[in-house]
């Protein structure tokens, strides 16, 4: 369900960015709406007031860092990638997070990686490569059709 919702959101972002060029305003609006949705979900699950108390300690710093830096930067970079490469490229880069997480956990935390994880990562990267290869071929076909249409339907030139 999360993948369908995320894919739909990225496709919608691609359409919105064509008519709404301000990425920073779009990112701020996206963060505001996400904050409101998260608040509704959180308040429905946790109704005890003392759980919502944030003191001037590491908890408030963690919330502020996650809210402003992580979410803001992530949304801005996602918007930038969608504007430059389209929603397909961003959707395909998302599963690479699993590969990087597994590699980082092995290097920094000393977790043992099973053979299944390695094979799964290879299949995942191979699948991403083939989809990006197909997308580049599709773009070449559209570019060739656009070029052939421009050369066949070019307006006549006036000679003075």
């Amino acid at each position: 369900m999360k993948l369908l919702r995320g894919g739909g959101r990225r496709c919608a972002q691609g359409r919105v960015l064509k008519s709404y060029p301000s990425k920073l305003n779009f990112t701020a609006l996206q963060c505001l709406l996400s904050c409101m949705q998260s608040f509704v979900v959180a308040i429905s699950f946790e109704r005890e007031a003392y759980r919502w108390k944030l003191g001037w300690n590491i908890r408030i710093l963690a919330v502020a860092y996650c809210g402003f830096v992580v979410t803001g930067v992530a949304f801005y970079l996602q918007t930038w990638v969608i504007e430059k490469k389209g929603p397909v490229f961003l959707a395909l880069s998302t599963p690479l997070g699993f590969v990087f997480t597994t590699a980082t956990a092995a290097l920094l935390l000393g977790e043992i990686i099973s053979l299944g994880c390695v094979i799964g990562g290879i299949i995942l990267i191979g699948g991403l490569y083939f989809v990006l290869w197909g997308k580049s071929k599709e773009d070449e076909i559209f570019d060739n059709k656009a070029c052939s249409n421009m050369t066949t339907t070019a307006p006549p030139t006036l000679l003075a």
Side-chain angles (χ1 to χ4, degrees):
M1 187 67 167
K2 179 184 175 187
L3 293 175
L4 290 175
R5 189 181 42 183
R9 182 174 60 98
R10 288 186 180 107
C11 289
Q13 277 181 336
R15 281 188 241 126
V16 168
L17 285 174
K18 289 180 182 175
S19 61
Y20 195 77
S22 178
K23 291 188 295 286
L24 285 176
N25 285 340
F26 183 68
T27 301
L29 181 63
Q30 211 175 7
C31 287
L32 176 68
L33 292 175
S34 295
C35 180
M36 291 181 346
Q37 288 174 351
S38 297
F39 177 74
V40 169
V41 170
I43 200 78
S44 66
F45 282 106
E46 189 59 62
R47 296 183 184 192
E48 298 175 16
Y50 75 92
R51 297 267 191 181
W52 287 87
K53 211 183 263 188
L54 288 175
W56 289 103
N57 54 16
I58 194 72
R59 290 178 70 192
I60 190 95
L61 182 64
V63 169
Y65 176 77
C66 185
F68 291 112
V69 177
V70 175
T71 304
V73 170
F75 278 177
Y76 183 79
L77 289 176
Q78 288 175 358
T79 304
W80 180 77
V81 168
I82 288 173
E83 182 184 35
K84 296 294 182 191
K85 292 288 190 177
V88 173
F89 190 80
L90 180 65
L92 290 175
S93 66
T94 302
L96 287 178
F98 297 125
V99 174
F100 292 135
T101 301
T102 303
T104 304
L107 293 174
L108 298 179
L109 301 176
E111 288 188 13
I112 298 172
I113 300 175
S114 66
L115 181 61
C117 286
V118 173
I119 292 172
I122 291 170
I123 290 172
L124 182 67
I125 291 173
L128 293 174
Y129 172 76
F130 282 121
V131 171
L132 290 175
W133 174 78
K135 179 77 173 139
S136 69
K137 291 295 181 186
E138 182 180 284
D139 290 344
E140 285 178 16
I141 290 171
F142 283 130
D143 287 344
N144 289 340
K145 283 185 181 180
C147 288
S148 66
N149 285 342
M150 286 182 5
T151 57
T152 59
T153 59
T157 57
L158 298 175
L159 298 174

